[in-house]
Amino acid sequence: MAVEILIAESAIRDRVVELGRRIESDYAGKPLTIVAVLTGSLIVLADLVRRIGIPHRIALLQASSYRGATTTSTMLVVNESFAPDVSGRDVLLLDDILDTGQTLAALVQHVADRGARSVRTAVLLRKIGRQTTPIEPDYCGFTIPDAFVVGYGLDYNDDYRHLPYVGILKD
């Protein structure tokens, strides 16, 4: 399958620097824990945390509402073995994409239920036209059209995550 570049590597790099500066400023002096949702957010996590110069913890949360090559949401599954201790901490929940909003909204509640002092959200991408659950990300890299995207951590059936840009998957 072909991939049409939607967001270039340089644009992503510049935006991640901007987001890092905002997060650093907003969380200065606070007990920050960045909780990244596996697996799609690993690439943005690695780049983002290197742009945040204040002390912070990194944690991972495995959650998925997609299985295999499907493009429609199913029931959310959270792997509790990865659940971080967030009691009394300010949490920034980091995900690769806000699509329907169901996963992110459920994870905000999941983290809050575990005693986080506050929970904010950051997404690399926000897809227009698919959101069914009302949630506004506190930090957003890019707004994109309703297309199936891959690259920079996003996949199609576990392929294409390695691409340094975000692209639209073409048949």
Side-chain angles (χ1 to χ4, degrees), residues 77-141:
V77 177
V78 177
N79 182 344
E80 291 295 331
S81 64
F82 287 105
D85 178 11
V86 295
S87 298
R89 307 231 4 127
D90 291 298
V91 173
L92 179 62
L93 191 58
L94 176 65
D95 207 354
D96 54 358
I97 189 166
L98 175 60
D99 192 340
T100 65
Q102 293 173 354
T103 299
L104 195 58
L107 290 176
V108 166
Q109 188 62 53
H110 184 83
V111 171
D113 289 346
R114 274 141 188 81
R117 187 168 89 172
S118 71
V119 183
R120 286 180 156 180
T121 58
V123 295
L124 175 65
L125 305 173
R126 180 180 192 167
K127 191 180 285 190
I128 296 299
R130 301 234 331 137
Q131 195 166 341
T132 59
T133 302
I135 185 168
E136 290 296 321
D138 297 286
Y139 305 93
C140 179

Side-chain angles (χ1 to χ4, degrees), residues 3 9 16 18 31 33 39 42 59 64 105 113 119 122 130 135 137 143:
V3 178
E9 180 178 6
V16 168
E18 289 174 26
T33 299
T39 299
L42 281 179
S64 179
D113 289 346
V119 183
R130 301 234 331 137
I135 185 168
T143 299

Side-chain angles (χ1 to χ4, degrees), residues 50-61:
R50 291 180 287 172
R51 302 294 179 210
I52 299 172
I54 60 171
H56 60 278
R57 294 180 184 171
I58 299 170
L60 303 171
L61 186 60

